[in-house]
Amino acid sequence: MNTNVALWVGFNLFVLAMLALDLGVFHRKEHVVSPKEAGLWTVVWIVLSLGFCGILGLTGYWNHEQSLQWVTAYVVEYALSVDNLFVFLMVFAFFQVPLVVQHRVLFWGILGAFIMRAGLIVTGTALVQRFHWLLYIFGAFLIFTAVKMAFSKDEDAAEPEQSLVMRLGRRFLPVARPPEGENDHGNRFFILEDGRRKVTPLFLVLMVVETTDLLFALDSIPAVLGISQDAFIVYTSNVCAILGLRSLFFVVASLMDKFHLLKVGLAIILGFVGTKMVITFFDIHISIGLSLGVIGGVLLGSILASLIWPKAAETHGVPHPSVEPEREDA
């Protein structure tokens, strides 16, 4: 078998095996994921991801430049995932998804993202390799997105209930009746009701999560294409980043308000990558090492700035996902 094909097959089989191990063994019994457990899993995914890059570098399959490209793409994708996590946080809080089933929703959401992004990445890299001028369009799009992100406010986000996917789901899918009292649907996405198989409200939440990730991929994938046009580098760095997204969610959920300037940092990163793509038209190239330094510096700077200048306490009216809402006694 061709070495290139063997790497693609081997990587995907390893990812599927890890996902099966995660859901079938470590999370076979659903439970509330503690920050300590989530932190441990986050470290595990990061170590596995960097180990994958290290092995390909040490074996000579990737040279130093390609290894740096992978690490930079991984850092960018992981950083941009933080904004994605904020939307997941809002969706779970809005639909009052119980803590015990949040990991399950994220698991299937990430698996869906794994499949959708594969198609986007393979198509995107093929197009850029054939039509190099698309890089300039992607770069301009990232600059526009960066400006929009920098000046957007949390209040500008639309309510998940009013999203197009939710409205279409309620209109065209047989949705089960809302649960009454303790007779809820649990962690099920499908149930039998009145002799028909119907989707539960939790399935609609999963649809919102999937769609949200797809929309974020339209920003993050062009950003990674600005770092490398190697389909294997783009794909594997993207997948490794989203694999750690579930555990990262439970780690940063309680810290989201503390790192309030992180969104500004992410906007600067998008703007930097977009500018890096556009100026290649003038034969100006920024080395991958300098790019990694700038991206890492901006991330660290925005986190430190958030701690130095904390955000004034505000009441947003959205419950925190790591805290179960209190019930009033009748």
Side-chain angles (χ1 to χ4, degrees):
M1 182 184 290
N2 183 280
T3 304
N4 216 14
V5 175
L7 278 173
W8 278 90
V9 173
F11 177 79
N12 284 300
L13 288 177
F14 174 76
V15 169
L16 291 174
M18 288 301 297
L19 288 173
L21 188 66
D22 185 3
L23 188 66
V25 177
F26 295 109
H27 292 93
R28 186 175 184 179
K29 183 178 180 181
E30 292 185 337
H31 60 281
V32 176
V33 179
S34 67
K36 181 178 179 180
E37 179 187 356
L40 178 61
W41 271 105
T42 300
V43 172
V44 168
W45 286 119
I46 292 175
V47 169
L48 285 174
S49 299
L50 295 179
F52 163 77
C53 178
I55 289 173
L56 291 187
L58 292 173
T59 56
Y61 182 79
W62 282 343
N63 57 33
H64 181 68
E65 178 78 6
Q66 290 172 311
S67 297
L68 274 180
Q69 287 179 354
W70 190 93
V71 172
T72 305
Y74 176 71
V75 171
V76 168
E77 183 61 42
Y78 220 135
L80 293 177
S81 296
V82 174
D83 211 32
N84 205 348
L85 294 179
F86 176 79
V87 178
F88 291 168
L89 173 68
M90 181 182 66
V91 169
F92 286 159
F94 186 89
F95 291 107
Q96 297 182 335
V97 178
L99 293 176
V100 72
V101 300
Q102 287 182 8
H103 181 275
R104 180 180 175 85
V105 175
L106 286 173
F107 175 90
W108 291 108
I110 295 304
L111 186 60
F114 172 64
I115 297 171
M116 291 187 295
R117 289 184 180 224
L120 286 174
I121 290 168
V122 172
T123 303
T125 51
L127 287 174
V128 168
Q129 288 173 358
R130 183 167 184 179
F131 307 106
H132 189 266
W133 51 266
L134 283 174
L135 276 181
Y136 310 135
I137 296 178
F138 286 158
F141 173 71
L142 290 180
I143 294 172
F144 168 76
T145 304
V147 173
K148 185 178 178 181
M149 179 185 290
F151 293 98
S152 67
K153 298 179 180 179
D154 296 341
E155 292 78 6
D156 296 336
E159 291 187 347
E161 181 68 30
Q162 302 304 316
S163 66
L164 178 62
V165 65
M166 183 62 72
R167 296 201 305 269
L168 290 176
R170 292 193 182 282
R171 181 172 181 179
F172 294 106
L173 294 176
V175 183
R177 290 189 294 270
E180 299 179 2
E182 297 300 322
N183 185 28
D184 58 30
H185 304 312
N187 63 4
R188 290 173 294 176
F189 296 124
F190 306 94
I191 65 167
L192 283 175
E193 183 179 272
D194 301 328
R196 294 181 61 197
R197 182 171 292 277
K198 297 184 178 180
V199 301
T200 65
L202 191 64
F203 180 80
L204 297 182
V205 174
L206 176 62
M207 288 178 58
V208 174
V209 169
E210 293 278 20
T211 308
T212 299
D213 183 84
L214 181 61
L215 293 175
F216 273 89
L218 298 179
D219 290 342
S220 63
I221 290 177
V224 176
L225 286 173
I227 296 166
S228 174
Q229 288 85 58
D230 185 313
F232 190 65
I233 291 177
V234 176
Y235 175 71
T236 53
S237 61
N238 210 278
V239 170
C240 285
I242 63 174
L243 279 175
L245 198 58
R246 291 159 301 137
S247 54
L248 185 64
F249 171 84
F250 296 101
V251 172
V252 305
S254 60
L255 304 175
M256 204 68 77
D257 286 340
K258 293 182 180 180
F259 298 149
H260 63 103
L261 293 177
L262 190 56
K263 177 172 282 191
V264 177
L266 297 179
I268 294 174
I269 290 173
L270 279 180
F272 169 74
V273 175
T275 302
K276 179 175 178 289
M277 296 165 76
V278 171
I279 62 177
T280 57
F281 178 79
F282 304 101
D283 203 26
I284 300 174
H285 301 277
I286 300 175
S287 70
I288 194 66
L290 178 58
S291 297
L292 181 57
V294 170
I295 292 167
V298 170
L299 278 176
L300 180 61
S302 60
I303 291 173
L304 291 177
S306 298
L307 297 176
I308 295 171
W309 296 286
K311 185 178 181 180
E314 296 178 3
T315 302
H316 298 289
V318 179
H320 193 279
S322 62
V323 180
E324 293 281 11
E326 296 182 358
R327 297 183 179 180
E328 297 181 0
D329 296 331

